[in-house]
Amino acid sequence: MTEAYPTLPGCPVRRVEISITDDLHLAFLPEVGVVFDRILSLLPGEVVVDLSGCRHVDAAAIGLLLDVHRRLSRRQAALTLRDPNPRIRSILQTARVDTVLPIATSAPTAAVPAPRRRGSTAQATVHGRARVVAPPGPVS
């Protein structure tokens, strides 16, 4: 999958993975939006959102994911959702998000190093991971 979304010129980031470890809903979208803005500023070839620790998504969260997808698509990059639980998968199917965004059900494969060009220096591959955790306290 890494070869399908190559590193963009001037940026060594091929893939950024983010794990959503709590419910993804309207109350937390401003914070999650900031994280996505920072990730997108890296100009990655692919962003993988691991939903295995997320128990619920609402319509606003789906809207945010579709917005991130649109922004990445403009640069020929991709957004992939990974390991949503059956309830979230059902919500995504009902909203027909599964027809727009790829949903992976297995762990990512090891990154394939970029081919070296003759005379070029070695290029480091940067792997990023962000974690979004809800603040303690009641959810309104």
Side-chain angles (χ1 to χ4, degrees):
M1 188 179 290
T2 302
E3 290 181 15
Y5 305 104
T7 303
L8 298 172
C11 186
V13 179
R14 290 183 180 198
R15 173 189 288 164
V16 176
E17 296 185 12
I18 178 172
S19 296
I20 305 295
T21 58
D22 207 343
D23 293 358
L24 187 56
H25 53 79
L26 183 61
F28 300 120
L29 290 192
E31 295 154 24
V32 175
V34 169
V35 171
F36 276 119
D37 288 342
R38 289 182 180 168
I39 289 170
L40 295 177
S41 73
L42 299 172
L43 303 176
E46 179 182 24
V47 175
V48 177
V49 178
D50 184 338
L51 294 173
S52 61
C54 182
R55 298 177 314 248
H56 178 73
V57 296
D58 67 8
I62 290 172
L64 175 69
L65 293 172
L66 290 172
D67 181 57
V68 170
H69 164 72
R70 178 186 49 80
R71 291 167 62 188
L72 285 165
S73 293
R74 287 181 180 166
R75 296 184 301 97
Q76 287 74 48
L79 174 65
T80 301
L81 305 179
R82 185 172 65 214
D83 294 331
N85 67 42
R87 180 172 183 237
I88 291 178
R89 183 177 288 273
S90 175
I91 292 169
L92 297 173
Q93 288 172 341
T94 301
R96 301 188 52 91
V97 173
D98 62 327
T99 63
V100 177
L101 297 176
I103 299 175
T105 56
S106 61
T109 58
V112 177
R116 286 183 155 180
R117 294 183 186 171
R118 222 181 296 180
S120 69
T121 60
Q123 182 182 30
T125 302
V126 177
H127 298 279
R129 185 173 287 269
R131 183 175 175 160
V132 178
V133 181
V139 176
S140 36

